[in-house]
Amino acid sequence: MTAKTVLVTGGTGGIGKATAEGLARLGARVGIVGRDATRAEAAAADIRVKSGNPAVDVFTADMSSQAEVRRLAAEVLDAYPRLDVLVNNVGGFWAHRHVTADGLEHTFALNHLASFLLTNLLLERLEASAPARVVTVSSGAQSMGRIDFDDLQDTRSYSGQRAYNQSKLANVMFTYELARRLEGSGVTATVLHPGVTRTDAAAASRLWQVSSDLVGLSAAQR
């Protein structure tokens, strides 16, 4: 990964931070995206120390907001003349329905639309940097998902688990279609279930959580 540039969303803790640290150890220049500037700066400092790699950059954005995603993309394009890897990791689980600044159901907006929009905004830079790749963190919960095209915003009835499953299935469907469209471009698209891990993603709701799936739990945005 020496001389490679990577962007990791949701990179201030949990799976995202571990990914960023691992890539930094391998010699990559890593940009982490977090919602809170103080937390993001602290995470970057920690990654620099643990990896021995000073090339860790910080970007801040509330990725549930499409305006913030667009601003983030512009800042990344300005900062990085090339982008070798985009890791779409940001996500969360909410037991109760919330809407974003755009009026969208929060789970779908953050877990799927944010990654969808950011990927498309950075795609030309990824193609220009080929060979490159897009890696999206989904969940085994996608196997229980169903896309309700008649009520994507869950306005009729809300289930945190159903909304989460749907968003993770959308990650998979998006990645498969992206891979098809990028065939021959030198950019690969991969989607994954990271397995069972212990993170602090549910800390805000004071619920114990041991799985990156966040099954049955309420969590704050990573």
Side-chain angles (χ1 to χ4, degrees):
M1 295 299 296
T2 301
K4 302 292 186 182
T5 302
V6 181
L7 183 70
V8 182
T9 66
T12 61
I15 295 167
K17 184 180 177 186
T19 299
E21 182 182 327
L23 291 166
R25 286 180 185 273
L26 293 174
R29 180 174 203 94
V30 180
I32 62 170
V33 182
R35 184 177 53 179
D36 179 79
T38 301
R39 185 182 179 194
E41 291 289 354
D46 190 49
I47 293 169
R48 293 182 193 114
V49 170
K50 290 181 177 177
S51 68
N53 182 348
V56 180
D57 307 312
V58 171
F59 299 91
T60 58
D62 177 354
M63 295 191 65
S64 70
S65 162
Q66 294 190 6
E68 288 277 287
V69 174
R70 292 182 183 278
R71 178 184 58 77
L72 169 65
E75 290 180 1
V76 170
L77 291 173
D78 186 58
Y80 295 151
R82 63 176 295 115
L83 183 62
D84 300 282
V85 184
L86 169 62
V87 181
N88 291 314
N89 168 72
V90 71
F93 183 110
W94 288 267
H96 304 287
R97 188 177 187 274
H98 303 278
V99 296
T100 68
D102 302 302
L104 301 171
E105 190 277 312
H106 202 163
T107 303
F108 196 73
L110 182 67
N111 291 8
H112 176 59
L113 295 179
S115 297
F116 178 93
L117 180 57
L118 183 63
T119 299
N120 278 282
L121 292 171
L122 298 179
L123 198 53
E124 285 189 10
R125 183 62 47 87
L126 286 158
E127 290 177 307
S129 305
R133 64 180 60 201
V134 178
V135 181
T136 300
V137 180
S138 180
S139 163
Q142 65 86 22
S143 65
M144 299 180 287
R146 181 178 69 86
I147 308 294
D148 186 353
F149 288 105
D150 293 326
D151 190 27
L152 279 176
Q153 302 304 312
D154 287 310
T155 57
R156 292 195 290 262
S157 66
Y158 181 81
S159 160
Q161 189 64 66
R162 186 173 65 242
Y164 184 79
N165 297 349
Q166 174 180 250
S167 71
K168 291 300 165 181
L169 176 58
N171 291 160
V172 173
M173 295 173 69
F174 166 59
T175 302
Y176 271 62
E177 178 60 18
L178 181 64
R180 186 187 70 81
R181 295 188 183 200
L182 291 175
E183 188 172 356
S185 71
V187 181
T188 60
T190 306
V191 63
L192 63 98
H193 164 52
V196 177
T197 63
R198 183 183 298 276
T199 75
D200 63 355
S205 61
R206 301 189 181 186
L207 292 174
W208 181 64
Q209 182 262 339
V210 296
S211 171
S212 60
D213 286 352
L214 310 176
V215 174
L217 300 174
S218 172
Q221 176 180 338
R222 286 199 294 272

